[in-house]
Amino acid sequence: MKVLIIGTGGRENALAWKISKSKNIDKIYMAKGNGGSQDFATNVDISPTDIDGLLDFAKKEKIDLTVVGPEDPLCAGIVDKFKENNLKIFGPDKACARFEGSKEFTKKFLEKYNIPTAKYKSFIDYDSAKNSLEEFSYPLVIKADGLCLGKGVFICQDKKEALESLEKIFIDKIFKDQGKKVVIEEFLKGFEASLLCIVSNNKLFPLQTCKDHKQIFDGNMGPNTGGVGTYSPGDKFSQKTEEEIRKILKGIEIGFNKEKISYYGILFIGFMIENDIPKVLEFNVRFGDPETEVLMPRLKGDLLEIMMKTLDNTLSEDDIKWKDEVSLTTILCSGGYPNSYQKGKEITGLDKVDGDVIIFHNGTVKKDGKYYTDGGRVLSVTSLGKDLIEARKKVYKNIEKINFQDMYYRKDIGLI
């Protein structure tokens, strides 16, 4: 089979790595891919948001399956376009992608089907949002409704910060049309957990849990990022929490069916868990990054086969098996990320990394046989171990062999 993977990051790198091991794979193309994806795929110079260009390529090369990594093309309707042309594609259609494309849409769905989530209100102008602040206690959360490149969420500790956030969205228009609507919601306490589910015609098949670390500095300090480290399985849930999560998944399935949508692909659910009670923070409609980097090494089965069965409505729980080992990823970042940072720094030491450590490339480019930084998150250093201690030891031992100017990484992934 010929497979086209759309995306440029570590998530797509990990998917290509896993699919390359399938007994049914003949060739993998990546649009656009990155410096590391060339190890097991052919990079194609087509933007992930160039839907017409991707469609033309898939037709010309007779692609058997297209896998969509990022959310932008999903929200823009790439799945609908490919299906209209009788091309198999893994991901939700435009109607289902609204669960990530609009935070208000998701909140209304959760509320309608009695799925536990934070209390909220939505607004379309600065004054009404400002006047509502008295109804909330602090801290509170302000979210621009659209995608906003994953940067549209503000945790505000007091009214001053809340007003500043509303001004940035409504008056300064830093997110343009993605910020035309705002959701203000209560701040949930507890610990976060991520759960990815494969969805086949509205039936959810939960994958293994992950523990993600979003803040840039050790001790979960500093600004949020796209994720700078993770391990799987994540924090062990109590029996009560597991029961409540099962109820939530069932509620989501009921909601999907009652809304008369047909969801295929990935549903990524973010939970906040306090006193064993989970509440839904958000939905994403694609594989997580860096969650994919720790899940793919633990997955026993053939990912390509799993995806095809998902689309053919023949997937069963027996198709998704996991290794007993623990997996951990620490991301090497460009100095200054998630704010301003420089690109083009040469990366050395990758040839010295141990064979049982996997390097997934997030933001790199390859020139004349050398690798250079090309993003804020540069490399995902990943390893399996019999337990978290062993996996962590392997990762940090091998990080010491890698270097690029201003390289930064958290030292405490797997400790907290």
Side-chain angles (χ1 to χ4, degrees), residues 28-53:
I28 301 175
Y29 295 97
M30 297 193 70
K32 291 184 173 184
N34 57 37
S37 56
Q38 297 174 60
D39 294 339
F40 30 73
T42 299
N43 287 353
V44 181
D45 190 17
I46 305 174
S47 168
T49 55
D50 181 3
I51 294 176
D52 290 333

Side-chain angles (χ1 to χ4, degrees), residues 18 90 198 200 207 299-312 314-316 319-321:
K18 185 63 178 176
F90 186 87
I198 293 177
S200 179
L207 306 183
L299 181 64
K300 275 185 178 179
D302 184 322
L303 180 61
L304 180 55
E305 191 174 279
I306 288 170
M307 288 179 166
M308 295 300 288
K309 286 186 174 184
T310 299
L311 300 179
D312 294 340
T314 58
L315 187 67
S316 72
D319 294 315
I320 307 171
K321 300 293 186 185

Side-chain angles (χ1 to χ4, degrees), residues 52 55 125 128 163 206 227:
D52 290 333
L55 179 63
D125 65 88
S128 59
L163 290 173

